[in-house]
Amino acid sequence: MALEKGRSPFERLRRKFEASERRCSACGHVDTEGGWRVTASGSRVRYQFVCPVCDAVETRDLRLG
Ligand SMILES: [Zn+2]
């Protein structure tokens, strides 16, 4: 099967985010471990990354569709 089954827009966004850099805007730390924490409600998806150095929280809000 050439079709990618089970690849929702949500999944594609998640992969894109996981490939992106997690940089803390507060202290400049770039995290190479862990990943974004994802919470979704309806068509909105929120990604959060908690800096392990200073505990600042980076948040990205996205809309699906
Ligand atoms: Zn930080």
Side-chain angles (χ1 to χ4, degrees):
M1 290 283 281
L3 286 174
E4 293 191 349
K5 291 180 68 178
R7 288 284 171 79
S8 65
F10 179 84
E11 177 73 8
R12 286 200 300 271
L13 273 175
R14 189 175 68 81
R15 287 171 159 267
K16 184 174 150 187
F17 258 80
E18 289 185 345
S20 74
E21 187 176 69
R22 293 181 294 277
R23 177 193 293 275
C24 174
S25 61
C27 74
H29 173 74
V30 177
D31 191 37
T32 55
E33 307 287 326
W36 294 87
R37 201 179 71 182
V38 184
T39 53
S41 80
S43 61
R44 287 181 48 196
V45 182
R46 169 164 291 177
Y47 290 80
Q48 288 186 310
F49 154 61
V50 180
C51 177
V53 175
C54 71
D55 288 336
V57 181
E58 288 291 310
T59 303
R60 305 278 187 277
D61 283 312
L62 296 176
R63 294 180 72 87
L64 295 178

Short mmCIF file of all heavy atoms in Angstrom, two decimals:
data_model
loop_
_atom_site.label_atom_id
_atom_site.label_comp_id
_atom_site.label_asym_id
_atom_site.label_seq_id
_atom_site.Cartn_x
_atom_site.Cartn_y
_atom_site.Cartn_z
N MET A 1 0.83 -1.21 0.00
CA MET A 1 0.00 0.00 0.00
C MET A 1 0.86 1.26 0.00
O MET A 1 1.70 1.45 0.85
CB MET A 1 -0.91 0.03 1.24
CG MET A 1 -2.03 -1.00 1.21
SD MET A 1 -3.38 -0.51 0.13
CE MET A 1 -4.23 0.65 1.21
N ALA A 2 0.65 2.11 -0.99
CA ALA A 2 1.40 3.36 -1.03
C ALA A 2 0.74 4.42 -0.17
O ALA A 2 1.38 5.38 0.23
CB ALA A 2 1.50 3.85 -2.46
N LEU A 3 -0.53 4.22 0.13
CA LEU A 3 -1.23 5.20 0.95
C LEU A 3 -0.71 5.18 2.38
O LEU A 3 -0.41 4.13 2.92
CB LEU A 3 -2.73 4.91 0.96
CG LEU A 3 -3.49 5.25 -0.32
CD1 LEU A 3 -4.93 4.75 -0.19
CD2 LEU A 3 -3.48 6.73 -0.58
N GLU A 4 -0.62 6.36 2.95
CA GLU A 4 -0.21 6.44 4.34
C GLU A 4 -1.45 6.43 5.20
O GLU A 4 -2.15 7.42 5.36
CB GLU A 4 0.58 7.73 4.59
CG GLU A 4 1.92 7.73 3.88
CD GLU A 4 2.79 8.88 4.35
OE1 GLU A 4 2.28 9.76 5.06
OE2 GLU A 4 3.97 8.88 4.03
N LYS A 5 -1.73 5.28 5.73
CA LYS A 5 -2.94 5.16 6.55
C LYS A 5 -2.67 5.67 7.96
O LYS A 5 -1.60 5.49 8.49
CB LYS A 5 -3.39 3.70 6.61
CG LYS A 5 -3.91 3.21 5.26
CD LYS A 5 -4.37 1.78 5.35
CE LYS A 5 -5.60 1.60 6.22
NZ LYS A 5 -6.05 0.20 6.24
N GLY A 6 -3.67 6.28 8.50
CA GLY A 6 -3.58 6.71 9.89
C GLY A 6 -2.74 7.96 10.10
O GLY A 6 -2.41 8.29 11.22
N ARG A 7 -2.39 8.63 9.01
CA ARG A 7 -1.62 9.86 9.17
C ARG A 7 -2.57 11.04 9.20
O ARG A 7 -2.91 11.59 8.15
CB ARG A 7 -0.62 9.99 8.02
CG ARG A 7 0.54 9.04 8.13
CD ARG A 7 1.52 9.51 9.18
NE ARG A 7 2.52 8.49 9.45
CZ ARG A 7 3.58 8.28 8.67
NH1 ARG A 7 3.76 9.01 7.63
NH2 ARG A 7 4.43 7.35 8.98
N SER A 8 -2.99 11.43 10.33
CA SER A 8 -3.90 12.56 10.46
C SER A 8 -3.11 13.86 10.35
O SER A 8 -1.89 13.86 10.49
CB SER A 8 -4.60 12.51 11.81
OG SER A 8 -3.66 12.68 12.84
N PRO A 9 -3.78 14.97 10.12
CA PRO A 9 -3.10 16.27 10.15
C PRO A 9 -2.40 16.48 11.48
O PRO A 9 -1.31 17.06 11.53
CB PRO A 9 -4.24 17.27 9.95
CG PRO A 9 -5.28 16.51 9.23
CD PRO A 9 -5.18 15.09 9.74
N PHE A 10 -3.03 16.00 12.52
CA PHE A 10 -2.44 16.11 13.85
C PHE A 10 -1.10 15.40 13.91
O PHE A 10 -0.11 15.92 14.42
CB PHE A 10 -3.41 15.49 14.87
CG PHE A 10 -2.91 15.52 16.27
CD1 PHE A 10 -3.08 16.65 17.06
CD2 PHE A 10 -2.28 14.41 16.80
CE1 PHE A 10 -2.60 16.66 18.36
CE2 PHE A 10 -1.82 14.42 18.10
CZ PHE A 10 -1.97 15.56 18.88
N GLU A 11 -1.07 14.22 13.36
CA GLU A 11 0.17 13.42 13.37
C GLU A 11 1.27 14.11 12.57
O GLU A 11 2.42 14.14 12.98
CB GLU A 11 -0.14 12.03 12.80
CG GLU A 11 1.08 11.14 12.68
CD GLU A 11 1.58 10.63 14.02
OE1 GLU A 11 0.89 10.85 15.05
OE2 GLU A 11 2.65 10.03 14.04
N ARG A 12 0.89 14.67 11.42
CA ARG A 12 1.89 15.35 10.60
C ARG A 12 2.45 16.57 11.32
O ARG A 12 3.64 16.84 11.28
CB ARG A 12 1.28 15.76 9.26
CG ARG A 12 1.07 14.56 8.33
CD ARG A 12 0.95 15.02 6.89
NE ARG A 12 -0.17 15.92 6.69
CZ ARG A 12 -1.41 15.50 6.39
NH1 ARG A 12 -1.65 14.23 6.26
NH2 ARG A 12 -2.37 16.37 6.23
N LEU A 13 1.58 17.32 12.00
CA LEU A 13 2.05 18.47 12.75
C LEU A 13 2.99 18.05 13.86
O LEU A 13 4.00 18.68 14.12
CB LEU A 13 0.85 19.20 13.37
CG LEU A 13 0.18 20.24 12.49
CD1 LEU A 13 -1.05 20.78 13.20
CD2 LEU A 13 1.15 21.39 12.22
N ARG A 14 2.63 16.97 14.51
CA ARG A 14 3.45 16.49 15.62
C ARG A 14 4.86 16.14 15.13
O ARG A 14 5.84 16.50 15.74
CB ARG A 14 2.80 15.27 16.27
CG ARG A 14 3.46 14.84 17.56
CD ARG A 14 2.71 13.70 18.21
NE ARG A 14 2.82 12.48 17.44
CZ ARG A 14 3.87 11.66 17.48
NH1 ARG A 14 4.89 11.94 18.25
NH2 ARG A 14 3.89 10.58 16.75
N ARG A 15 4.91 15.46 14.00
CA ARG A 15 6.21 15.09 13.46
C ARG A 15 7.02 16.32 13.09
O ARG A 15 8.22 16.38 13.31
CB ARG A 15 6.02 14.22 12.21
CG ARG A 15 5.55 12.84 12.58
CD ARG A 15 5.15 12.07 11.34
NE ARG A 15 5.18 10.65 11.61
CZ ARG A 15 6.25 9.87 11.38
NH1 ARG A 15 7.34 10.38 10.86
NH2 ARG A 15 6.21 8.60 11.66
N LYS A 16 6.36 17.30 12.51
CA LYS A 16 7.04 18.53 12.12
C LYS A 16 7.61 19.22 13.36
O LYS A 16 8.74 19.70 13.36
CB LYS A 16 6.05 19.44 11.41
CG LYS A 16 6.66 20.72 10.85
CD LYS A 16 5.61 21.45 10.03
CE LYS A 16 5.84 22.95 10.07
NZ LYS A 16 4.75 23.67 9.43
N PHE A 17 6.82 19.25 14.42
CA PHE A 17 7.28 19.89 15.63
C PHE A 17 8.43 19.14 16.26
O PHE A 17 9.38 19.72 16.76
CB PHE A 17 6.13 20.02 16.63
CG PHE A 17 5.57 21.40 16.66
CD1 PHE A 17 4.69 21.80 15.68
CD2 PHE A 17 5.95 22.29 17.63
CE1 PHE A 17 4.20 23.09 15.67
CE2 PHE A 17 5.45 23.58 17.63
CZ PHE A 17 4.57 23.98 16.65
N GLU A 18 8.34 17.84 16.25
CA GLU A 18 9.39 17.05 16.89
C GLU A 18 10.71 17.18 16.15
O GLU A 18 11.76 16.94 16.71
CB GLU A 18 8.95 15.60 17.00
CG GLU A 18 7.85 15.46 18.04
CD GLU A 18 7.46 14.03 18.28
OE1 GLU A 18 7.84 13.17 17.46
OE2 GLU A 18 6.78 13.78 19.27
N ALA A 19 10.63 17.57 14.88
CA ALA A 19 11.85 17.76 14.11
C ALA A 19 12.40 19.17 14.28
O ALA A 19 13.53 19.46 13.91
CB ALA A 19 11.60 17.48 12.63
N SER A 20 11.60 20.04 14.86
CA SER A 20 12.03 21.42 15.00
C SER A 20 12.81 21.62 16.29
O SER A 20 12.81 20.79 17.19
CB SER A 20 10.83 22.37 14.95
OG SER A 20 10.11 22.30 16.16
N GLU A 21 13.46 22.74 16.37
CA GLU A 21 14.32 23.03 17.50
C GLU A 21 13.50 23.46 18.71
O GLU A 21 12.57 24.24 18.60
CB GLU A 21 15.26 24.16 17.09
CG GLU A 21 16.32 24.45 18.10
CD GLU A 21 17.26 25.52 17.57
OE1 GLU A 21 16.83 26.67 17.43
OE2 GLU A 21 18.41 25.19 17.28
N ARG A 22 13.88 22.93 19.85
CA ARG A 22 13.24 23.35 21.09
C ARG A 22 14.21 24.28 21.81
O ARG A 22 15.09 23.85 22.52
CB ARG A 22 12.90 22.12 21.95
CG ARG A 22 11.83 21.25 21.31
CD ARG A 22 11.49 20.06 22.17
NE ARG A 22 12.63 19.16 22.26
CZ ARG A 22 12.92 18.25 21.34
NH1 ARG A 22 12.17 18.10 20.31
NH2 ARG A 22 13.97 17.49 21.48
N ARG A 23 14.03 25.55 21.58
CA ARG A 23 14.90 26.53 22.19
C ARG A 23 14.14 27.35 23.21
O ARG A 23 13.07 27.90 22.92
CB ARG A 23 15.48 27.47 21.11
CG ARG A 23 16.34 28.57 21.68
CD ARG A 23 16.62 29.64 20.65
NE ARG A 23 17.46 29.13 19.56
CZ ARG A 23 18.80 29.09 19.63
NH1 ARG A 23 19.42 29.54 20.68
NH2 ARG A 23 19.48 28.63 18.62
N CYS A 24 14.73 27.47 24.37
CA CYS A 24 14.12 28.26 25.42
C CYS A 24 14.38 29.73 25.15
O CYS A 24 15.52 30.16 25.01
CB CYS A 24 14.70 27.86 26.77
SG CYS A 24 14.12 28.88 28.12
N SER A 25 13.31 30.52 25.08
CA SER A 25 13.48 31.94 24.80
C SER A 25 13.95 32.70 26.04
O SER A 25 14.38 33.84 25.96
CB SER A 25 12.18 32.55 24.28
OG SER A 25 11.16 32.42 25.24
N ALA A 26 13.85 32.06 27.20
CA ALA A 26 14.24 32.73 28.44
C ALA A 26 15.74 32.66 28.68
O ALA A 26 16.37 33.65 29.03
CB ALA A 26 13.48 32.13 29.61
N CYS A 27 16.33 31.47 28.48
CA CYS A 27 17.75 31.31 28.80
C CYS A 27 18.58 30.88 27.59
O CYS A 27 19.80 30.83 27.67
CB CYS A 27 17.94 30.33 29.96
SG CYS A 27 17.66 28.60 29.49
N GLY A 28 17.94 30.57 26.49
CA GLY A 28 18.67 30.21 25.28
C GLY A 28 19.05 28.75 25.20
O GLY A 28 19.67 28.33 24.23
N HIS A 29 18.68 27.97 26.20
CA HIS A 29 19.00 26.55 26.19
C HIS A 29 18.29 25.85 25.03
O HIS A 29 17.11 26.08 24.79
CB HIS A 29 18.57 25.92 27.52
CG HIS A 29 18.70 24.42 27.53
ND1 HIS A 29 19.92 23.79 27.62
CD2 HIS A 29 17.77 23.44 27.44
CE1 HIS A 29 19.73 22.48 27.60
NE2 HIS A 29 18.44 22.23 27.48
N VAL A 30 19.03 25.01 24.32
CA VAL A 30 18.43 24.22 23.25
C VAL A 30 18.36 22.77 23.72
O VAL A 30 19.37 22.15 24.01
CB VAL A 30 19.25 24.31 21.94
CG1 VAL A 30 18.63 23.42 20.87
CG2 VAL A 30 19.30 25.75 21.45
N ASP A 31 17.15 22.27 23.80
CA ASP A 31 16.94 20.93 24.32
C ASP A 31 16.99 19.91 23.19
O ASP A 31 16.34 20.07 22.17
CB ASP A 31 15.58 20.86 25.02
CG ASP A 31 15.44 19.58 25.81
OD1 ASP A 31 16.44 19.12 26.39
OD2 ASP A 31 14.32 19.03 25.84
N THR A 32 17.77 18.89 23.39
CA THR A 32 17.86 17.85 22.37
C THR A 32 17.22 16.55 22.85
O THR A 32 17.13 15.58 22.11
CB THR A 32 19.33 17.56 22.00
OG1 THR A 32 20.06 17.26 23.18
CG2 THR A 32 19.95 18.76 21.31
N GLU A 33 16.80 16.54 24.10
CA GLU A 33 16.12 15.37 24.64
C GLU A 33 14.63 15.67 24.76
O GLU A 33 14.20 16.80 24.62
CB GLU A 33 16.68 15.02 26.03
CG GLU A 33 18.17 14.87 26.08
CD GLU A 33 18.64 13.59 25.42
OE1 GLU A 33 17.91 12.59 25.52
OE2 GLU A 33 19.70 13.60 24.80
N GLY A 34 13.89 14.63 25.06
CA GLY A 34 12.46 14.84 25.31
C GLY A 34 11.74 15.33 24.08
O GLY A 34 12.14 15.08 22.95
N GLY A 35 10.66 16.02 24.30
CA GLY A 35 9.87 16.48 23.16
C GLY A 35 8.80 17.44 23.62
O GLY A 35 8.73 17.81 24.78
N TRP A 36 7.99 17.83 22.65
CA TRP A 36 6.89 18.72 22.96
C TRP A 36 5.79 17.95 23.66
O TRP A 36 5.46 16.83 23.27
CB TRP A 36 6.35 19.34 21.69
CG TRP A 36 7.32 20.25 21.00
CD1 TRP A 36 8.25 19.88 20.09
CD2 TRP A 36 7.42 21.66 21.17
NE1 TRP A 36 8.94 20.99 19.68
CE2 TRP A 36 8.46 22.09 20.31
CE3 TRP A 36 6.75 22.60 21.96
CZ2 TRP A 36 8.82 23.44 20.23
CZ3 TRP A 36 7.12 23.92 21.87
CH2 TRP A 36 8.15 24.34 21.02
N ARG A 37 5.18 18.57 24.62
CA ARG A 37 3.99 17.99 25.21
C ARG A 37 2.80 18.53 24.44
O ARG A 37 2.70 19.74 24.22
CB ARG A 37 3.89 18.38 26.69
CG ARG A 37 2.99 17.44 27.47
CD ARG A 37 2.94 17.83 28.92
NE ARG A 37 2.18 19.07 29.11
CZ ARG A 37 2.03 19.66 30.28
NH1 ARG A 37 2.59 19.17 31.34
NH2 ARG A 37 1.31 20.76 30.38
N VAL A 38 1.93 17.66 24.05
CA VAL A 38 0.85 18.05 23.16
C VAL A 38 -0.50 17.88 23.83
O VAL A 38 -0.80 16.83 24.40
CB VAL A 38 0.87 17.20 21.87
CG1 VAL A 38 -0.20 17.68 20.90
CG2 VAL A 38 2.24 17.23 21.24
N THR A 39 -1.28 18.92 23.80
CA THR A 39 -2.67 18.80 24.24
C THR A 39 -3.55 19.35 23.13
O THR A 39 -3.23 20.36 22.51
CB THR A 39 -2.93 19.56 25.55
OG1 THR A 39 -2.49 20.90 25.39
CG2 THR A 39 -2.19 18.93 26.71
N ALA A 40 -4.65 18.69 22.89
CA ALA A 40 -5.55 19.11 21.82
C ALA A 40 -6.95 19.26 22.36
O ALA A 40 -7.40 18.51 23.22
CB ALA A 40 -5.53 18.08 20.69
N SER A 41 -7.63 20.28 21.85
CA SER A 41 -9.06 20.41 22.16
C SER A 41 -9.73 20.94 20.91
O SER A 41 -9.42 22.02 20.43
CB SER A 41 -9.28 21.33 23.36
OG SER A 41 -9.22 22.67 22.99
N GLY A 42 -10.62 20.14 20.36
CA GLY A 42 -11.27 20.52 19.11
C GLY A 42 -10.24 20.63 17.99
O GLY A 42 -9.43 19.74 17.81
N SER A 43 -10.23 21.76 17.30
CA SER A 43 -9.31 21.95 16.19
C SER A 43 -8.05 22.68 16.63
O SER A 43 -7.21 23.02 15.82
CB SER A 43 -9.99 22.72 15.07
OG SER A 43 -10.37 23.99 15.53
N ARG A 44 -7.93 22.93 17.91
CA ARG A 44 -6.74 23.62 18.40
C ARG A 44 -5.78 22.63 19.05
O ARG A 44 -6.18 21.77 19.80
CB ARG A 44 -7.13 24.69 19.41
CG ARG A 44 -7.78 25.89 18.77
CD ARG A 44 -8.12 26.93 19.81
NE ARG A 44 -6.99 27.18 20.70
CZ ARG A 44 -7.12 27.80 21.87
NH1 ARG A 44 -8.28 28.19 22.30
NH2 ARG A 44 -6.07 28.00 22.62
N VAL A 45 -4.52 22.84 18.74
CA VAL A 45 -3.50 21.99 19.32
C VAL A 45 -2.47 22.88 20.01
O VAL A 45 -2.01 23.86 19.44
CB VAL A 45 -2.79 21.13 18.25
CG1 VAL A 45 -1.75 20.21 18.89
CG2 VAL A 45 -3.81 20.31 17.48
N ARG A 46 -2.14 22.53 21.23
CA ARG A 46 -1.16 23.31 21.97
C ARG A 46 0.07 22.45 22.24
O ARG A 46 -0.03 21.35 22.76
CB ARG A 46 -1.77 23.81 23.28
CG ARG A 46 -0.74 24.41 24.23
CD ARG A 46 -1.39 25.21 25.32
NE ARG A 46 -1.99 26.44 24.76
CZ ARG A 46 -2.69 27.30 25.48
NH1 ARG A 46 -2.90 27.08 26.76
NH2 ARG A 46 -3.19 28.38 24.93
N TYR A 47 1.21 23.01 21.88
CA TYR A 47 2.48 22.34 22.15
C TYR A 47 3.20 23.09 23.25
O TYR A 47 3.29 24.32 23.22
CB TYR A 47 3.36 22.35 20.91
CG TYR A 47 2.86 21.45 19.81
CD1 TYR A 47 1.84 21.86 18.97
CD2 TYR A 47 3.42 20.19 19.62
CE1 TYR A 47 1.38 21.05 17.96
CE2 TYR A 47 2.97 19.37 18.61
CZ TYR A 47 1.95 19.81 17.78
OH TYR A 47 1.49 19.01 16.78
N GLN A 48 3.70 22.33 24.21
CA GLN A 48 4.45 22.97 25.28
C GLN A 48 5.77 22.26 25.50
O GLN A 48 5.87 21.04 25.43
CB GLN A 48 3.64 22.95 26.58
CG GLN A 48 2.47 23.93 26.56
CD GLN A 48 1.78 23.99 27.90
OE1 GLN A 48 1.44 22.98 28.48
NE2 GLN A 48 1.56 25.19 28.39
N PHE A 49 6.78 23.05 25.74
CA PHE A 49 8.10 22.53 26.05
C PHE A 49 8.57 23.23 27.30
O PHE A 49 8.64 24.45 27.37
CB PHE A 49 9.04 22.81 24.86
CG PHE A 49 10.49 22.90 25.24
CD1 PHE A 49 11.14 21.81 25.81
CD2 PHE A 49 11.20 24.06 25.01
CE1 PHE A 49 12.48 21.90 26.16
CE2 PHE A 49 12.53 24.16 25.35
CZ PHE A 49 13.17 23.07 25.92
N VAL A 50 8.87 22.44 28.33
CA VAL A 50 9.35 23.01 29.58
C VAL A 50 10.87 22.92 29.61
O VAL A 50 11.45 21.84 29.50
CB VAL A 50 8.77 22.25 30.80
CG1 VAL A 50 9.28 22.87 32.09
CG2 VAL A 50 7.25 22.30 30.76
N CYS A 51 11.50 24.08 29.72
CA CYS A 51 12.96 24.13 29.74
C CYS A 51 13.50 23.43 30.98
O CYS A 51 13.11 23.74 32.10
CB CYS A 51 13.43 25.59 29.74
SG CYS A 51 15.21 25.76 29.83
N PRO A 52 14.42 22.46 30.79
CA PRO A 52 14.97 21.73 31.94
C PRO A 52 15.96 22.56 32.74
O PRO A 52 16.34 22.18 33.84
CB PRO A 52 15.66 20.52 31.28
CG PRO A 52 16.02 20.98 29.92
CD PRO A 52 14.94 21.96 29.50
N VAL A 53 16.37 23.68 32.19
CA VAL A 53 17.36 24.52 32.87
C VAL A 53 16.68 25.55 33.77
O VAL A 53 17.01 25.69 34.94
CB VAL A 53 18.28 25.23 31.85
CG1 VAL A 53 19.22 26.20 32.56
CG2 VAL A 53 19.07 24.20 31.07
N CYS A 54 15.71 26.27 33.23
CA CYS A 54 15.12 27.37 33.99
C CYS A 54 13.61 27.21 34.22
O CYS A 54 13.00 28.07 34.82
CB CYS A 54 15.41 28.70 33.30
SG CYS A 54 14.49 28.93 31.78
N ASP A 55 13.05 26.10 33.72
CA ASP A 55 11.63 25.81 33.91
C ASP A 55 10.69 26.77 33.20
O ASP A 55 9.49 26.79 33.48
CB ASP A 55 11.27 25.76 35.41
CG ASP A 55 11.82 24.51 36.08
OD1 ASP A 55 12.06 23.51 35.37
OD2 ASP A 55 12.01 24.53 37.30
N ALA A 56 11.21 27.58 32.32
CA ALA A 56 10.33 28.41 31.51
C ALA A 56 9.54 27.51 30.57
O ALA A 56 9.98 26.42 30.22
CB ALA A 56 11.14 29.42 30.70
N VAL A 57 8.37 27.96 30.19
CA VAL A 57 7.52 27.16 29.33
C VAL A 57 7.36 27.83 27.98
O VAL A 57 6.93 28.98 27.89
CB VAL A 57 6.12 26.93 29.96
CG1 VAL A 57 5.26 26.08 29.04
CG2 VAL A 57 6.26 26.27 31.32
N GLU A 58 7.73 27.12 26.94
CA GLU A 58 7.50 27.58 25.57
C GLU A 58 6.17 27.01 25.11
O GLU A 58 5.94 25.81 25.24
CB GLU A 58 8.60 27.09 24.64
CG GLU A 58 9.93 27.79 24.83
CD GLU A 58 9.89 29.24 24.38
OE1 GLU A 58 9.41 29.49 23.26
OE2 GLU A 58 10.30 30.10 25.14
N THR A 59 5.33 27.84 24.58
CA THR A 59 4.02 27.38 24.13
C THR A 59 3.78 27.77 22.68
O THR A 59 4.07 28.89 22.28
CB THR A 59 2.91 27.97 25.01
OG1 THR A 59 3.14 27.63 26.37
CG2 THR A 59 1.55 27.44 24.58
N ARG A 60 3.28 26.85 21.91
CA ARG A 60 2.87 27.12 20.53
C ARG A 60 1.43 26.67 20.37
O ARG A 60 1.10 25.54 20.71
CB ARG A 60 3.74 26.35 19.53
CG ARG A 60 5.22 26.58 19.65
CD ARG A 60 5.65 27.84 18.95
NE ARG A 60 7.12 27.94 18.94
CZ ARG A 60 7.83 28.41 19.96
NH1 ARG A 60 7.25 28.81 21.06
NH2 ARG A 60 9.15 28.47 19.89
N ASP A 61 0.62 27.54 19.86
CA ASP A 61 -0.77 27.17 19.59
C ASP A 61 -0.98 27.08 18.08
O ASP A 61 -0.62 27.98 17.34
CB ASP A 61 -1.73 28.21 20.17
CG ASP A 61 -1.87 28.06 21.67
OD1 ASP A 61 -2.08 26.92 22.12
OD2 ASP A 61 -1.77 29.07 22.37
N LEU A 62 -1.55 25.98 17.69
CA LEU A 62 -1.83 25.77 16.26
C LEU A 62 -3.29 25.42 16.06
O LEU A 62 -3.95 24.92 16.97
CB LEU A 62 -0.98 24.63 15.71
CG LEU A 62 0.53 24.82 15.72
CD1 LEU A 62 1.21 23.55 15.23
CD2 LEU A 62 0.93 25.98 14.85
N ARG A 63 -3.74 25.69 14.87
CA ARG A 63 -5.10 25.29 14.51
C ARG A 63 -5.04 24.29 13.38
O ARG A 63 -4.27 24.47 12.44
CB ARG A 63 -5.92 26.50 14.07
CG ARG A 63 -6.19 27.49 15.17
CD ARG A 63 -7.01 28.63 14.63
NE ARG A 63 -8.38 28.24 14.36
CZ ARG A 63 -9.35 28.27 15.26
NH1 ARG A 63 -9.11 28.69 16.47
NH2 ARG A 63 -10.57 27.91 14.96
N LEU A 64 -5.85 23.28 13.46
CA LEU A 64 -5.92 22.30 12.40
C LEU A 64 -6.98 22.72 11.40
O LEU A 64 -7.99 23.28 11.76
CB LEU A 64 -6.28 20.92 12.96
CG LEU A 64 -5.24 20.29 13.89
CD1 LEU A 64 -5.75 18.95 14.38
CD2 LEU A 64 -3.92 20.12 13.19
N GLY A 65 -6.68 22.41 10.16
CA GLY A 65 -7.65 22.73 9.11
C GLY A 65 -7.68 24.18 8.83
O GLY A 65 -8.70 24.80 8.81
ZN ZN B 1 15.43 28.06 29.89
#
